[in-house]
Amino acid sequence: MPGLQHVHFIGCGGSGTYPLIQILHSRGLTISGSDVEETKITKAERAMGVTVYLEHDAAHLGDAQLVVYSAAIHDENPELKAARARGIPAVERSVMLGYVSRMYSHSVCVSGTHGKTTTTGMITTMLELAGKDPAAVIGGKLPLIGGYGKAGHGDDVVIEACEYSETFLHLTPFMGVILNIDNDHLEYYGTMGRLKMAFQKFALLSRTVVFNMDDRNTVDVVNSIDRPVLSFGINEEARFRAVNIQEYRPGFYEFDVLELGEQFAHIKLGVPGYHNIYNALAMCCCVRPLGLKPEDAVRAAEQFHGTGRRFEIKGECNGAVIVDDYAHHPTELAATLATAKEMGYDRVIAVHQPFTYSRTKMLMDDFAKVLRAADQVVLLPIMGGREKDDGSVRSEDLAAKLPGSVVVDGLEGAAAWVRQNAKKGDLVVCMSCGDLYKAADMMVEK
């Protein structure tokens, strides 16, 4: 918007709005915002010079020329109502993210059902260590940059592109990365065909498409578009291919990357899990278009040790190691548990908080199948998120398909069970995109 000087954020304390505030503030705009409680994020925003209000009130808009609101804000919010009544343009966070993607000449937008946060973190690490000072908007905390994103002063921005509600279709990617397409968010899309159509639109918005040649659904999408592509994979004859894969310690992999059959780099991953080979290959595809060298990818792979809530080691309880992970879809649980099983512990204890009733009900048999990989399963009640409980599905229904599993009563119950039953030699993996991380913190001996 020409002449834009003051932007007001409703829900400014969220991890999704914070990087946008950092980026716009760095461009010299006046930023104000409101939220309902003081957090580390609101304190950091105040320290930057942002005016933060700890309640929602129409008076907070002041002379704002644009209002940005998070997805959690409802139509009856007094600030949003006042903005609309006064004719101040008001856009949802994902629309603002689209504007931001057009502010940089190189926007790398990372999409896919699984692996987005990790890959976004890897690519950001690569650019940061190469001295490119990128901007970033990430769904998890990246220790290297001290948060969920940053305002860079370079030509690059790395964005986690979420397919939920088609929000990623607001973006204009210089490079659009598709890691995989799996059966998630079908309560919104209805069918896999509609979900694939959304990814097809995302690909068509991208100047170049980076895609996983080993993922059938992704190949279907990419085969139907007319965009320059860069492919990666292990099993197929992709442009960037991982070969000579081996573990250099339990759960951690190293491999050679071939580009068109020629040696490109030798990668040694600083994060555990076979699935991270794919995430690193996607990063390798971005090297040349971003003006980097293969050694920049090598350094990033080795020095990237994960983002918050992605196989994050929290500490110990009775000598057992406690891990917190964002996995909440059967494919993600399978990858996380496979990583856990590769690491050589005596027992893997899976603590899982199912998220949303529709997903739990629709994928019940898939959840049961993948959770059987654990030596012991502990289930919490389903966290509804944005859904109402119609009483048709319970965690007990899932437990009935998992002999020997237990259902506990909430976060305190999960922490208490682990404190009573975990022992040295165990790996306890807490998996959810809800608030199970609070129980993981309770388990850890201070």
Side-chain angles (χ1 to χ4, degrees):
M1 282 175 69
L4 182 65
Q5 291 177 312
H6 179 190
V7 182
H8 181 77
F9 281 79
I10 311 174
C12 67
S15 59
T17 50
Y18 181 37
L20 298 181
I21 288 171
Q22 289 174 288
I23 289 166
L24 296 178
H25 183 267
S26 76
R27 297 275 172 139
L29 294 171
T30 298
I31 308 293
S32 60
S34 62
D35 218 309
V36 292
E37 62 178 348
E38 189 83 274
T39 63
K40 285 182 182 174
I41 288 176
T42 55
K43 286 176 182 172
E45 287 167 349
R46 285 184 205 280
M48 284 163 48
V50 173
T51 303
V52 177
Y53 303 99
L54 290 182
E55 59 178 344
H56 296 303
D57 188 307
H60 296 158
L61 296 181
D63 61 357
Q65 298 151 293
L66 177 67
V67 169
V68 181
Y69 57 94
S70 72
I73 301 301
H74 52 79
D75 284 342
E76 293 304 303
N77 178 283
E79 294 178 16
L80 187 53
K81 282 177 76 173
R84 286 170 174 162
R86 287 173 53 186
I88 302 171
V91 298
E92 201 267 325
R93 170 204 168 264
S94 59
V95 177
M96 188 72 236
L97 187 56
Y99 295 158
V100 165
S101 74
R102 292 183 280 281
M103 286 163 56
Y104 296 83
S105 55
H106 292 157
S107 55
V108 183
C109 302
V110 182
S111 77
T113 311
H114 320 293
K116 290 187 293 290
T117 300
T118 297
T119 307
T120 307
M122 275 188 187
I123 296 168
T124 302
T125 298
M126 176 171 70
L127 286 162
E128 186 74 8
L129 294 178
K132 292 282 194 173
D133 192 17
V137 181
I138 310 173
K141 282 186 180 174
L142 180 61
L144 177 67
I145 61 173
Y148 294 91
K150 68 184 280 272
H153 295 92
D155 298 324
D156 311 289
V157 63
V158 191
I159 294 171
E160 181 167 336
C162 183
E163 76 276 13
Y164 179 70
S165 298
E166 298 182 302
T167 53
F168 65 167
L169 300 186
H170 295 298
L171 300 167
T172 306
F174 167 69
M175 298 184 77
V177 179
I178 305 178
L179 297 168
N180 43 62
I181 303 172
D182 208 343
N183 57 350
D184 203 9
H185 301 308
L186 294 187
E187 78 286 356
Y188 173 81
Y189 287 102
T191 65
M192 271 302 286
R194 286 193 180 130
L195 175 63
K196 285 159 80 169
M197 194 184 296
F199 275 95
Q200 193 174 26
K201 290 175 184 173
F202 172 76
L204 287 167
L205 291 168
S206 307
R207 198 179 306 175
T208 298
V209 179
V210 172
F211 76 99
N212 181 354
M213 207 176 214
D214 291 356
D215 185 71
R216 186 70 252 161
N217 288 328
T218 302
V219 172
D220 287 348
V221 162
V222 173
N223 279 346
S224 64
I225 60 158
D226 59 344
R227 288 290 177 274
V229 295
L230 291 168
S231 59
F232 65 90
I234 297 171
N235 303 320
E236 299 288 337
E237 293 304 313
R239 182 184 179 109
F240 288 86
R241 187 167 179 229
V243 297
N244 306 324
I245 299 166
Q246 52 196 1
E247 283 182 281
Y248 68 88
R249 65 183 164 101
F252 288 78
Y253 290 87
E254 62 180 319
F255 50 94
D256 290 314
V257 179
L258 304 182
E259 182 185 12
L260 297 174
E262 301 290 324
Q263 181 71 14
F264 175 80
H266 181 77
I267 297 285
K268 195 172 183 180
L269 290 171
V271 281
Y274 191 87
H275 57 285
N276 279 313
I277 297 170
Y278 284 100
N279 298 332
L281 286 170
M283 172 180 67
C284 289
C285 289
C286 298
V287 168
R288 299 197 200 284
L290 296 177
L292 300 176
K293 298 182 175 71
E295 48 265 38
D296 295 318
V298 173
R299 181 172 52 207
E302 198 158 3
Q303 293 190 30
F304 175 77
H305 299 297
T307 55
R309 304 217 56 210
R310 271 56 177 193
F311 215 86
E312 182 181 2
I313 295 173
K314 305 291 284 186
E316 292 190 0
C317 174
N318 306 337
V321 175
I322 309 295
V323 165
D324 179 41
D325 195 274
Y326 197 71
H328 55 280
H329 181 281
T331 305
E332 293 165 353
L333 265 64
T336 298
L337 289 173
T339 299
K341 294 293 278 186
E342 286 164 0
M343 298 181 82
Y345 287 85
D346 297 340
R347 280 197 308 172
V348 172
I349 299 171
V351 182
H352 177 52
Q353 176 194 51
F355 190 77
T356 73
Y357 303 103
S358 61
R359 181 188 285 127
T360 308
K361 193 172 179 178
M362 189 185 302
L363 304 177
M364 174 78 71
D365 289 340
D366 295 336
F367 277 114
K369 183 180 174 186
V370 300
L371 283 166
R372 286 185 201 118
D375 299 293
Q376 173 68 53
V377 177
V378 179
L379 297 171
L380 284 79
I382 299 167
M383 187 173 187
R386 48 194 172 260
E387 297 179 350
K388 286 196 168 60
D389 182 6
D390 65 3
S392 67
V393 63
R394 290 271 179 273
S395 289
E396 284 78 2
D397 302 327
L398 180 54
K401 296 174 180 285
L402 293 161
S405 62
V406 295
V407 180
V408 295
D409 181 19
L411 301 173
E412 294 276 3
W417 189 96
V418 169
R419 284 196 293 265
Q420 287 161 19
N421 294 281
K423 58 184 188 290
K424 189 170 177 61
D426 290 345
L427 179 64
V428 179
V429 188
C430 299
M431 297 180 290
S432 172
C433 66
D435 60 357
L436 183 58
Y437 64 90
K438 295 174 184 173
D441 288 336
M442 291 178 212
M443 294 168 196
V444 173
E445 291 155 351
K446 300 297 183 218

